[in-house]
Amino acid sequence: MEIAVAVRPFGSKRPIGVPRRRFASSCVRAAVAPAKDEAGVSDLRRLSTAAGPLHPGSDLAFERILVQGLAAVKPLVIERVEPENELLAVLVVEKEEEEMKRVVVKVAEERKEPAVEKEAWRLLNDAVVSYCGSPVGTVAANVPEAEALNYDQVFIRDFVPSAVAFLLKGETEIVRNFLLHTLQLQSWEKTVDCYSPGQGLMPASFKVRSVPMDGRKDEVEEILDPDFGESAIGRVAPVDSGLWWIILLRAYGKITGDYTLQERVDVQIGIRLILNLCLSDGFDMFPTLLVADGSCMIDRRMGVHGHPLEIQALFYCALRCSREMIAIDDGSRSLLRAVNKRLTALSFHIREYYWVDMKKINEIYRYKTEEYSQGATNKFNIYPEQIPSWLVDWIPEKGGYLIGNLQPAHMDFRFFSLGNLWAITSSLTTPRQAEEILNLMENKWEDFIGNMPLKICYPALEHDEWRIITGSDPKIRKPWSYHNGGSWPTLLWQFTLACIKMGRPELARKAVSVAEKRLSNDQWPEYYDTLTARFIGKQSRLYQTWTIAGFLASKLLLENPEMASIFTFEEDMELLEGCACSLTNHPRAKCSRHVPKAQVLV
Ligand code: GLC
């Protein structure tokens, strides 16, 4: 079977027939010929790409290339159902979809917005970026008088809360356009010192530029210019971008009921390219992803290299999203097996080795070291002297959390909020661990929320630690500022999601009301400084879009808590059974600690 489709085939970095150029082509439109399903029946419903222009008004001819052997994709809206329950499951899903639509309409039509929300919506709409006449994203910050740096670009991670706000308001076009256009930018021709990023990489950000048209005087065309980190500080590839893209793609499908987007062949290829990049073999011994420093929200040197929690939590979540979305065909079966295997290993590894609470810290305190055997208890040779003095006093009797990073002979005991929150949302933690993380945050309210939610990490680095770990970065020299323990209001929507998932919306409500008192007066800053977030960040941007959108998303989620399900996942017993089984049945099971099954599951 051959499908004509306007996407890159595997093994090619740009669409066939498209001239080599520095930028992504302008105003693209997809075109897919009807495919046939396994029974040979043409199924137009599945071929969403055939459904006209990418966005209204875009009418340019689209480059057509051939992708061979891709079976028509299967609508995947249900997780693992037995055939006899299939009809029931379909009905349940349809009912859920109807309910979602009803809520979105209610949000769009009936809400009486308080003034602060009205202002936030106005600012969010002002931040919208158009490309060829259609909305495709939001700029990072919209302060015309300030030096733009790269804040005039659409950042993938920054757009996610904007997308949530728009989706919950029923404005879906911008999200659809964003997903499709960023897909077109995936791993484009960009290099740092003659070296190109891996295929499948999504850019950190993109900018719409007007450039003179080849050979036509006085005429300009709009192009999308992606940045894969080659212009960013530190020149680090944004590992989180592709993971966010997958997470947003699933959310879009769940809320709109428009699964045709994720079924498109080009979108399916996009998902697979990201997964191939993440799942490719390397030298690593752990199921966690090995990354360079600054490859996520914390995008400068902060000691978040190796296996930082933030990346692992987003990775886990993206794998679970992909499992729902990947079309099952001959080409994807082994990929799906790899996804399942990785999910199992990842959840075991994180639940077991990243978790700390009073009991576990006491265990580490009494660790034997230098154990060579496969039955070692202290598997990573952690010297108990590493337990920082702040932790000894700080860790409450009730509550625990996932540490920031785990490497040979090194545990980074700092608490990183984004990673912990996504671990709850995606069920990377056990239900008990999820409870305990929220208990800790509640218990240490002043440290995490204080005068503005939410601390990016706790505690801040100081003195020699700051010098050695950050390489003396002056922007984070002050403790409790920016990435070094500053407070970032955008994290509020992710806290809200986790609280709703755990049935504790009142915690989120309390945090939102703290934010609501200040954000508008303070002109929606990017971040706050000091231990309890009393001051607007020293070099903080004002009118930061993800601050605005994060606030709106939190409000809308709290009003419609059922909508949190577009991002959340429940515990998957099958994955956990795999985990417990490999511990007991694996020929080299002894190399793992004897973890009782109950510990993996609870
Ligand atoms: C800063 C943040 C990064 C964000 C970007 C745009 O670089 O560290 O996470 O994406 O600003 O807001």
Side-chain angles (χ1 to χ4, degrees):
M1 178 187 60
E2 282 190 341
I3 305 171
V5 57
V7 292
R8 297 169 307 287
F10 289 111
S12 160
K13 287 216 162 180
R14 62 179 181 279
I16 292 167
V18 178
R20 202 185 169 91
R21 52 188 299 175
R22 222 178 88 71
F23 304 107
S25 65
S26 55
C27 301
V28 285
R29 174 161 78 86
V32 177
K36 292 181 176 177
D37 65 13
E38 277 162 13
V41 181
S42 174
D43 186 347
L44 283 170
R45 195 189 67 78
R46 298 174 187 178
L47 297 164
S48 52
T49 42
L54 177 63
H55 44 66
S58 156
D59 194 22
L60 293 185
F62 199 75
E63 298 92 350
R64 288 165 71 90
I65 56 167
L66 295 179
V67 175
Q68 296 202 358
L70 277 167
V73 289
K74 169 179 164 292
L76 274 180
V77 288
I78 310 154
E79 274 182 276
R80 273 182 311 288
V81 281
E82 304 304 327
E84 63 271 21
N85 292 334
E86 209 163 290
L87 182 62
L88 189 64
V90 169
L91 289 176
V92 170
V93 169
E94 278 176 1
K95 199 159 169 275
E96 269 174 15
E97 279 172 14
E98 252 171 47
E99 176 60 15
M100 289 227 175
K101 279 190 198 132
R102 198 187 57 73
V103 174
V104 169
V105 170
K106 188 186 91 191
V107 171
E109 287 174 1
E110 286 174 18
R111 283 192 85 244
K112 288 221 171 24
E113 278 163 359
V116 57
E117 284 175 52
K118 273 209 183 97
E119 185 200 16
W121 274 114
R122 181 177 52 75
L123 293 168
L124 184 60
N125 285 320
D126 288 350
V128 168
V129 172
S130 288
Y131 171 61
C132 297
S134 297
V136 288
T138 46
V139 282
N142 198 11
V143 218
E145 64 274 17
E147 198 195 343
L149 304 176
N150 58 353
Y151 284 83
D152 59 351
Q153 306 211 1
V154 179
F155 278 74
I156 309 299
R157 70 176 76 85
D158 292 40
F159 180 69
V160 178
S162 298
V164 181
F166 286 126
L167 287 175
L168 289 173
K169 216 177 175 211
E171 292 177 26
T172 57
E173 186 204 350
I174 184 171
V175 182
R176 184 182 161 88
N177 291 346
F178 169 86
L179 286 165
L180 288 171
H181 281 298
T182 44
L183 180 66
Q184 290 291 323
L185 300 175
Q186 192 177 30
S187 206
W188 205 258
E189 294 279 315
K190 292 287 184 145
T191 58
V192 175
D193 294 345
C194 315
Y195 189 76
S196 310
Q199 199 188 1
L201 186 70
M202 283 281 184
S205 59
F206 66 85
K207 189 172 166 59
V208 178
R209 292 188 199 281
S210 292
V211 294
M213 274 178 92
D214 290 343
R216 288 205 233 156
K217 240 177 119 203
D218 302 331
E219 280 188 68
V220 290
E221 64 174 333
E222 280 186 347
I223 49 111
L224 296 177
D225 183 15
D227 175 21
F228 289 94
E230 77 277 13
S231 315
I233 291 174
R235 310 297 187 265
V236 182
V239 178
D240 64 340
S241 288
L243 307 174
W244 280 122
W245 184 85
I246 288 178
I247 293 168
L248 185 58
L249 179 65
R250 171 184 180 254
Y252 173 88
K254 284 195 80 123
I255 200 165
T256 58
D258 171 16
Y259 292 98
T260 55
L261 184 72
Q262 53 185 252
E263 292 161 8
R264 284 171 54 133
V265 181
D266 53 351
V267 173
Q268 286 285 317
I269 292 179
I271 301 173
R272 291 176 202 195
L273 285 178
I274 296 169
L275 292 182
N276 285 343
L277 192 59
C278 293
L279 297 172
S280 61
D281 291 335
F283 290 105
D284 211 9
M285 299 287 283
F286 309 137
T288 34
L289 261 189
L290 180 63
V291 297
D293 213 342
S295 58
C296 50
M297 176 185 180
I298 297 180
D299 55 359
R300 50 207 291 152
R301 187 171 157 191
M302 257 296 282
V304 285
H305 51 86
H307 306 93
L309 178 67
E310 168 166 344
I311 290 290
Q312 314 314 326
L314 293 176
F315 180 37
Y316 181 84
C317 193
L319 288 178
R320 289 208 59 180
C321 293
S322 306
R323 213 160 61 122
E324 278 182 27
M325 297 189 295
I326 294 173
I328 300 170
D329 56 39
D330 289 344
S332 69
R333 263 180 249 281
S334 63
L335 180 64
L336 278 165
R337 264 196 303 277
V339 167
N340 281 331
K341 250 180 109 180
R342 194 63 173 259
L343 278 167
T344 298
L346 192 56
S347 64
F348 169 73
H349 188 82
I350 298 281
R351 288 168 179 212
E352 177 60 10
Y353 302 119
Y354 278 59
W355 179 252
V356 291
D357 54 12
M358 190 58 188
K359 182 165 163 274
K360 182 68 181 282
I361 293 168
N362 207 96
E363 224 178 85
I364 299 170
Y365 179 71
R366 290 163 52 79
Y367 264 169
K368 276 204 250 106
T369 55
E370 312 286 328
E371 294 175 287
Y372 281 97
S373 75
Q374 290 185 349
T377 309
N378 181 3
K379 217 172 169 184
F380 304 96
N381 201 32
I382 306 295
Y383 296 102
E385 289 71 18
Q386 266 176 48
I387 299 174
S389 50
W390 64 263
L391 184 62
V392 176
D393 301 327
W394 187 75
I395 191 83
E397 287 292 332
K398 195 175 165 204
Y401 66 98
L402 298 171
I403 58 167
N405 211 332
L406 177 67
Q407 318 252 45
H410 174 62
M411 284 176 110
D412 182 343
F413 286 97
R414 282 176 294 169
F415 178 105
F416 286 87
S417 296
L418 198 151
N420 272 282
L421 295 174
W422 277 94
I424 298 175
T425 300
S426 62
S427 279
L428 171 58
T429 60
T430 67
R432 184 186 64 81
Q433 288 172 341
E435 272 296 334
E436 294 287 275
I437 294 170
L438 288 187
N439 286 342
L440 177 83
M441 295 185 89
E442 188 178 20
N443 204 305
K444 298 284 174 184
W445 192 259
E446 279 304 295
D447 291 342
F448 286 113
I449 311 288
N451 294 285
M452 179 56 69
L454 191 73
K455 187 128 300 145
I456 195 166
C457 67
Y458 184 95
L461 301 170
E462 294 188 62
H463 314 299
D464 274 356
E465 252 187 349
W466 161 77
R467 197 171 47 75
I468 295 163
I469 294 175
T470 74
S472 305
D473 183 342
K475 190 159 181 184
I476 42 183
R477 179 173 199 148
K478 268 174 115 15
W480 314 113
S481 176
Y482 197 53
H483 293 154
N484 189 14
S487 297
W488 291 65
T490 188
L491 293 168
L492 186 57
W493 80 273
Q494 319 189 49
F495 180 60
T496 305
L497 259 188
C499 290
I500 294 175
K501 155 100 193 288
M502 297 311 295
R504 295 170 73 175
E506 73 290 348
L507 267 189
R509 227 169 260 128
K510 207 168 131 195
V512 169
S513 73
V514 173
E516 193 159 5
K517 286 195 194 94
R518 292 188 64 185
L519 282 178
S520 168
N521 279 343
D522 292 350
Q523 299 176 301
W524 309 91
E526 181 185 19
Y527 65 96
Y528 285 77
D529 285 357
T530 81
L531 173 60
T532 57
R534 292 195 66 195
F535 296 133
I536 297 171
K538 212 171 178 51
Q539 294 181 48
S540 172
R541 296 259 135 185
L542 300 178
Y543 298 104
Q544 182 81 16
T545 306
W546 68 354
T547 297
I548 299 163
F551 168 72
L552 287 172
S554 307
K555 282 285 214 176
L556 290 169
L557 281 168
L558 281 171
E559 273 170 41
N560 308 282
E562 63 278 25
M563 297 306 230
S565 68
I566 64 173
F567 288 106
T568 56
F569 285 94
E570 293 309 319
E571 187 78 305
D572 184 319
M573 296 317 277
E574 242 174 67
L575 287 176
L576 296 174
E577 285 296 331
C579 183
C581 283
S582 39
L583 279 177
T584 40
N585 299 338
H586 196 278
R588 299 184 63 186
K590 274 204 232 100
C591 67
S592 293
R593 292 178 54 202
H594 289 286
V595 186
K597 193 168 153 189
Q599 193 173 329
V600 183
L601 302 181
V602 192

